Amino acid sequence: MRFGFKGAGVAVLFLVSLVGVGFAQTGSVTGQVFDPGGAVVPNATVTAKSEVTALTRTSTTTSAGLYNFAALPPSLYTVTVEAPGFQTMSRTHVVLNVAATLPVNFTLQLAGAVASVDVQDVTVAPVETDSFQLSTVINSKQINDLPLILRDPYQLALLSPGVVTSTNNDGGFSVNGQRDRNNNFMLDGVDNNDTSVPGIAGGISSANPDSTQEFRVITNNFDAEFGRNTGAIIDVVTRGGGNQFHGDAYEFGRYNALGARDFFNKKGSPQDPYVRNDFGASVGGPIWKDRTFFFLNGDVQRFRTTRTESQTTPTAAFRTGKFNFIDQSPGGQVTPVDLTDPANPNNISGLMQDPTIAKILALAPVGQTDNGDGVSTNYTFASPDALNDYNLTGRFDHKLTDKHQLTVRYIYGHSAETSPFHDEFLPGYGNTASIGTNHNGVISLASALSANTTNLFKAGYNQANDGFYCNHQAIDAVTGFDSFGKGRDVVIPYFFTFGCSALGDSNAQARLSSTIFLGETFSVTKGAHSMKFGGEYRSVKDNNFDDFSSRDTVTFDNFSNFNYPSYNFNGPDPSKSPVGSQFEDLIWGAQGAVSNNTENQFFTRAGVRRANDLSRFRQHEWAAFAQDTWKV
């Protein structure tokens, strides 16, 4: 005997949205019940039972034969319909995805010799006829089967139509031409957006492949319950436990033995190491069968690599103060330089080699390759980096009563990296290190208040505490620092900046941001109407400082700035010769003659200097929505 789906008629959707909200992490199973003649069957009893946790919901069809199970957690369900005078009918293995409105209609047969009919392994309609959203579901099979070079499931968002990688440095993605910072990241139904640096894929807390059950990327025509942003809704649900124990342990590795060399890491020298290990374990199962379940996951990433960096450093002769500058342009000449004798008539400034500059340049090794200009070499050196990152996820699901389901989930992440940008100017000087922690927690309560009314309450909290820190101690030991711990950066013409220029001439930049989230959705089915009402509140906090240019910075380019020569150049007029201009500033730098001295300092309203430019941002967001799906 074959059973098909009865046409549900026309779905008319009325939406009202104030400001913009967004919380789901659940789905809905809805449909209509018909008799063999196509008439609706009111007061039929419909039951949805999870095949994983035995969670059971019961509803009664309305006068229009309509039923609706709202706020169901994503799972496999068996949906059963019973009505007096009709055979009981069940559909098994009904797959409900996150943020889905799944139509499952029934056509009942009159009661006879067969008391019930089971339809096994039914594939329900792939098109959500009760929702106009354009979206893509990435399920656990895709997450585990498709190649992920960094084991980042959010990379699979690129499988959705209209989604492309952003062209900026955030590592996020653009949806339908929107900026990456316009995406709204949700984790188990609560806010997971990075307030300070929006756009980073995954938001504040990123779930790994083993802790992610599935996620949905909604790209257009959002339901009224979604809002806040004009980009995509990335709606992630974490794994939970079930009535069967399950667990795994894993280890993934990438090694330089199977990789190519960096361009500057030439053959004949040891290959730069590259070792990435990602390992962890998961376990989940019942604490109390059919009632209480748990899931735990721990994921660790260790990354060790070395890149070959290069720097322009002085020759041994230049360090002595007596050297020959070679103009390598066609027809160029040699200019002998002697900075050891202040009476030298060619020394226009009369200044000798500055001892502090000489001390700084003495820290820079003579390079492996001579540049042929008599003053500089190219020095290549190893730039190591070490990343230690771990992520812990814990989830607890408990059936308080037959009508109330409680979920508690918490994620903690920690990351520390010694030199992610490989931006040191010399080995052990000026590299930027990063360290960060993140938290994301949720408490949700789904309640079946009656056969046709459901309420979903969610409370969430997220926090990001991240910082970047310049390795400035060795620099300050040479150039000194003030009472606020701010050192000095020295910009040496022709060579390098001795300081924290890679971090904007600051010792550190850091931020502490958090969001408190409260949301509620009330669903009711009445007649031909499936209605939703809800709202949410966000309390956003962000404390940060960047301290740009807070280190005292000195430059020596007197000729470029003021056209004043320091030494007689054997060649064209330095003001008309790029090489001559470089030569004059080179000598000014060796003599330590300051052309500019800049520093940003920060003050209170009372005019008292303070250590940094710490700012405090506070914002309160309120939102509400109403939605009616009317079958006519």
Side-chain angles (χ1 to χ4, degrees):
M1 184 177 293
R2 297 180 62 189
F3 296 88
F5 293 105
K6 184 70 176 180
V10 180
V12 181
L13 193 65
F14 293 97
L15 306 179
V16 177
S17 181
L18 306 179
V19 184
V21 298
F23 49 94
Q25 296 315 122
T26 57
S28 299
V29 176
T30 187
Q32 282 182 292
V33 180
F34 303 91
D35 67 13
V40 298
V41 179
N43 299 317
T45 301
V46 187
T47 303
K49 182 177 181 179
S50 170
E51 298 175 11
V52 178
T53 65
L55 172 68
T56 303
R57 293 273 185 86
T58 301
S59 180
T60 302
T61 57
T62 66
S63 58
L66 181 67
Y67 74 91
N68 182 36
F69 294 108
L72 283 177
S75 184
L76 285 175
Y77 286 91
T78 296
V79 184
T80 304
V81 178
E82 298 176 282
F86 296 93
Q87 298 175 6
T88 299
M89 186 175 183
S90 297
R91 296 187 184 277
T92 61
H93 308 317
V94 175
V95 179
L96 177 64
N97 296 120
V98 60
T101 302
L102 188 64
V104 183
N105 299 320
F106 291 86
T107 299
L108 302 182
Q109 301 299 314
L110 295 175
V114 179
S116 64
V117 176
D118 291 336
V119 183
Q120 302 286 339
D121 297 315
V122 167
T123 301
V124 296
V127 178
E128 296 177 15
T129 56
D130 286 66
S131 174
F132 299 109
Q133 294 184 147
L134 300 181
S135 64
T136 303
V137 173
I138 310 297
N139 59 37
S140 58
K141 180 175 175 58
Q142 292 170 294
I143 291 172
N144 288 298
D145 291 352
L146 293 176
L148 293 171
I149 192 170
L150 297 178
R151 283 181 44 79
D152 176 11
Y154 295 94
Q155 292 177 332
L156 298 178
L158 295 171
L159 297 175
S160 304
V163 180
V164 298
T165 302
S166 297
T167 56
N168 56 25
N169 295 323
D170 290 340
F173 41 84
S174 171
V175 179
N176 297 330
Q178 295 285 331
R179 300 175 68 187
D180 58 0
R181 62 176 51 217
N182 290 354
N183 297 323
N184 183 14
F185 291 96
M186 298 164 59
L187 189 57
D188 287 325
V190 299
D191 188 282
N192 190 37
N193 294 288
D194 192 326
T195 301
S196 299
V197 191
I200 298 176
I204 284 183
S205 296
S206 297
N208 63 68
D210 283 76
S211 65
T212 303
Q213 178 174 325
E214 64 184 36
F215 66 94
R216 180 182 292 267
V217 181
I218 307 173
T219 57
N220 213 332
N221 294 343
F222 310 136
D223 284 348
E225 63 185 294
F226 296 106
R228 187 181 186 274
N229 294 68
T230 59
I233 307 293
I234 296 87
D235 202 6
V236 182
V237 60
T238 56
R239 290 175 64 185
N243 274 324
Q244 301 294 324
F245 283 100
H246 57 86
D248 61 2
Y250 53 88
E251 202 281 340
F252 298 87
R254 296 176 62 199
Y255 308 97
N256 59 276
L258 302 176
R261 289 172 173 263
D262 180 90
F263 175 81
F264 296 101
N265 184 208
K266 305 294 185 180
K267 289 185 177 181
S269 62
Q271 185 179 5
D272 289 344
Y274 182 99
V275 178
R276 182 183 290 275
N277 294 102
D278 189 341
F279 54 93
S282 301
V283 62
I287 299 175
W288 184 358
K289 189 175 181 180
D290 291 344
R291 199 170 189 90
T292 308
F293 311 94
F294 78 96
F295 175 79
L296 300 172
N297 170 261
D299 186 83
V300 179
Q301 291 192 35
R302 295 181 72 255
F303 180 41
R304 301 292 184 270
T305 188
T306 297
R307 288 175 51 180
T308 301
E309 299 295 325
S310 63
Q311 185 59 270
T312 301
T313 60
T315 61
F318 184 86
R319 301 165 197 265
T320 66
K322 297 181 68 174
F323 54 90
N324 292 323
F325 179 85
I326 303 172
D327 182 355
Q328 295 179 288
S329 58
Q333 301 182 42
V334 176
T335 302
V337 177
D338 184 0
L339 299 180
T340 62
D341 182 8
N344 179 2
N346 289 319
N347 188 348
I348 300 173
S349 67
L351 298 174
M352 299 177 63
Q353 190 177 34
D354 182 80
T356 301
I357 299 299
K359 186 177 181 179
I360 293 173
L361 294 179
L363 298 173
V366 176
Q368 297 87 344
T369 305
D370 194 294
N371 291 330
D373 55 7
V375 297
S376 70
T377 63
N378 186 60
Y379 171 58
T380 58
F381 59 93
S383 172
D385 176 42
L387 166 68
N388 292 299
D389 179 286
Y390 63 88
N391 184 281
L392 304 174
T393 301
R395 176 166 169 156
F396 172 85
D397 294 277
H398 177 63
K399 184 169 71 172
L400 298 172
T401 68
D402 289 339
K403 293 186 176 182
H404 302 284
Q405 178 78 14
L406 175 69
T407 297
V408 179
R409 192 266 304 138
Y410 173 69
I411 293 178
Y412 173 76
H414 176 86
S415 178
E417 192 164 6
T418 58
S419 186
F421 310 112
H422 298 276
D423 51 6
E424 63 267 55
F425 57 89
L426 290 173
Y429 292 88
N431 61 288
T432 302
S434 67
I435 186 170
T437 60
N438 62 77
H439 307 260
N440 188 293
V442 61
I443 298 174
S444 71
L445 179 65
S447 302
L449 303 179
S450 69
N452 293 305
T453 57
T454 305
N455 190 76
L456 177 64
F457 170 78
K458 289 184 180 292
Y461 177 78
N462 67 55
Q463 182 190 93
N465 189 353
D466 299 307
F468 296 96
Y469 305 92
C470 174
N471 181 13
H472 61 87
Q473 289 79 11
I475 301 170
D476 296 347
V478 177
T479 60
F481 53 90
D482 62 18
S483 59
F484 288 89
K486 310 296 184 183
R488 167 171 286 181
D489 291 353
V490 181
V491 183
I492 305 177
Y494 213 89
F495 297 113
F496 50 81
T497 297
F498 188 77
C500 295
S501 60
L503 199 58
D505 296 306
S506 67
N507 287 347
Q509 299 172 10
R511 62 192 179 94
L512 174 64
S513 61
S514 65
T515 300
I516 297 174
F517 175 93
L518 299 173
E520 190 157 17
T521 300
F522 178 77
S523 304
V524 59
T525 303
K526 189 175 181 63
H529 297 267
S530 295
M531 295 170 283
K532 281 186 178 182
F533 308 92
E536 71 178 29
Y537 165 73
R538 284 183 175 90
S539 175
V540 180
K541 297 181 180 180
D542 182 66
N543 301 331
N544 68 81
F545 67 88
D546 51 48
D547 285 3
F548 285 126
S549 301
S550 59
R551 292 175 61 87
D552 179 30
T553 303
V554 295
T555 61
F556 308 100
D557 48 354
N558 288 281
F559 190 83
S560 297
N561 282 325
F562 310 115
N563 204 35
Y564 193 83
S566 58
Y567 206 93
N568 285 327
F569 175 62
N570 290 344
D573 182 352
S575 63
K576 301 178 181 179
S577 166
V579 175
S581 176
Q582 291 178 351
F583 168 80
E584 296 295 349
D585 284 335
L586 169 72
I587 303 302
W588 280 124
Q591 294 172 334
V594 176
S595 63
N596 286 290
N597 186 352
T598 60
E599 179 185 7
N600 285 343
Q601 296 182 355
F602 314 106
F603 295 85
T604 66
R605 291 181 178 180
V608 179
R609 186 183 174 190
R610 60 178 186 168
N612 54 47
D613 62 348
L614 177 66
S615 63
R616 296 176 175 88
F617 171 81
R618 301 291 184 269
Q619 179 169 296
H620 300 279
E621 303 174 2
W622 301 84
F625 78 92
Q627 173 175 314
D628 182 16
T629 302
W630 181 21
K631 289 182 181 290
V632 296

